[in-house]
Amino acid sequence: MIELDDRLRTARGHARDWGRDLRATALDLDRDPDTVRRCLDNPAVRHLSTMLIPDEWMPDRPLIGGYRFDGMTAMERVVFAEEIAAGDAGMMLAAPGPSLSGVLIDLLADREQKDWFYGRMLAEPTWTFFALTEPDHGSDAGAMQTALEPDGEGGLRLRGAKRYIGNGARASIGIVFARDRPGPLGATAVLVETGSAGFKAEPIPTVGLRGAQLSAILLDDVPVPAGRVLGRHLSPTRRGVWSGVQMFNRLRPGVAAIALGIARAAHEYVASQRGSLSKSERLRWERTGRRIDGVRQLIWRAAAVVDARPADGHLASAAKARAARLAEEVTLEALGYFGPGARLTQPMLDKLVRDARGVEFMEGTGNIQRLNTFQGLVQGKLDRG
Ligand SMILES: Cc1cc2nc3c(=O)[nH]c(=O)nc-3n(C[C@H](O)[C@H](O)[C@H](O)COP(=O)(O)OP(=O)(O)OC[C@H]3O[C@@H](n4cnc5c(N)ncnc54)[C@H](O)[C@@H]3O)c2cc1C
């Protein structure tokens, strides 16, 4: 069993308080994703907006309970993510800051690119996006068609379409994955400014995790200076698919922790809003609590593995699949405690059910995670225990 050290227990305690505060705006954000703009002083949002900026670029980072947290390890991220998502998973995804892009910047950017990216993050609250998914190529990212081509004048241009991109329509900087040649080594990530000519993003209607403001992006010959190609100082084998795999491995335990936070929010909602439970209901509620604790342990183990060996994401896949299923089952079970009209009479639970469904698709669906887990098992990289 994994126990948190004093530093991470301190993080958990603070993040739990922040999460409680977020419940007050959760339904507002669900109705109107722009609510985040009036929550920029919320401590959780402030923390998320500088998470994944290394201390070197932020030496005067405020301490939390006497400790410094920059979010550079998966273990740290899962602790914060569970607590903030237990308050509002929508806000977790709506906050400005490096977010998903931060992990790729850490992996691939050179010094000049890091100075530029982190400088923008520190100047003012700045939303970012990370665009991999395409309208017809979600799970099968290898079939991506967005093209990155030379513009004939020493620069490049991007052409294609991306879909379901978190914060796409409110971001000012983002990372786009595109193909610069055929084959598995042909994927490249570039930094893009959303004010560039030919860049168009608009929100798409969604049901769950509405705070994330998923967007459709059109790239119509968007100019990309050669200096904005990430990993330009690395070999092609280390920038395309390799970087994507490493990035998703590092992020996946955090997505699992968001699902865990949603499950916990529903479980706690039953205890706080339902009043007394019958004996059988209490036994069921307690059994669910033990299940939540078990999945938390799995997520912590997966985070520890990814921090030790970033190329090894099989346990993280198992954790994400388990946690997403847990969130769906626990939120639906919670509705059952409030009778047949619960989706109408308990708007917060209704939101949690919708958010849980959204996590199933984020960062790879359950089926894709199960395929990855299975590969880990057959390759002997995953312990059956
Ligand atoms: C809240 C949220 C945030 C997101 N944020 C981002 C983001 O910031 N950037 C980004 O690039 N993308 C983002 N996405 C997109 C996400 O990565 C995709 O939704 C996901 O990869 C699935 O792709 P798809 O929706 O096209 O579904 P599809 O790939 O079409 O899958 C549909 C169904 O088919 C199943 N399926 C597909 N392939 C297989 C297979 N080989 N074997 C078995 N079953 C299979 C899937 O499990 C699923 O049930 C986000 C999605 C959500 C919901």
Side-chain angles (χ1 to χ4, degrees), residues 355-378:
D355 286 354
R357 189 69 194 135
V359 182
E360 154 68 14
F361 285 87
M362 259 178 87
E363 205 283 303
T365 65
N367 284 346
I368 300 303
Q369 306 299 351
R370 280 184 279 279
L371 282 171
N372 199 22
T373 306
F374 178 72
Q375 276 170 3
L377 278 170
V378 294

Side-chain angles (χ1 to χ4, degrees), residues 93 100 130-133 137-139 163-166 209 214 358 361-365 367-368 371:
L93 302 175
L100 306 185
F130 173 88
L132 175 66
T133 308
H137 309 291
S139 301
R163 196 164 175 86
Y164 312 122
I165 309 306
L209 291 171
L214 296 193
F361 285 87
M362 259 178 87
E363 205 283 303
T365 65
N367 284 346
I368 300 303
L371 282 171

Side-chain angles (χ1 to χ4, degrees), residues 36-117:
V36 62
R37 294 186 191 275
R38 58 177 171 82
C39 299
L40 297 177
D41 282 335
N42 176 283
V45 176
R46 276 212 312 267
H47 178 72
L48 292 168
S49 67
T50 57
M51 205 167 104
L52 283 159
I53 299 179
D55 282 344
E56 188 185 347
W57 279 267
M58 200 180 164
D60 53 355
R61 180 191 302 280
L63 301 182
I64 299 171
Y67 292 104
R68 200 176 272 276
F69 296 97
D70 61 7
M72 298 309 287
T73 65
M75 196 66 188
E76 189 183 310
R77 290 196 293 274
V78 297
V79 169
F80 279 104
E82 178 191 340
E83 299 302 332
I84 295 175
D88 181 14
M91 189 64 89
M92 173 89 211
L93 302 175
S99 188
L100 306 185
S101 302
V103 173
L104 205 64
I105 293 290
D106 181 47
L107 268 172
L108 285 187
D110 62 22
R111 180 80 205 189
E112 198 184 321
Q113 291 165 336
K114 284 183 180 174
D115 286 343
W116 180 78
F117 182 86

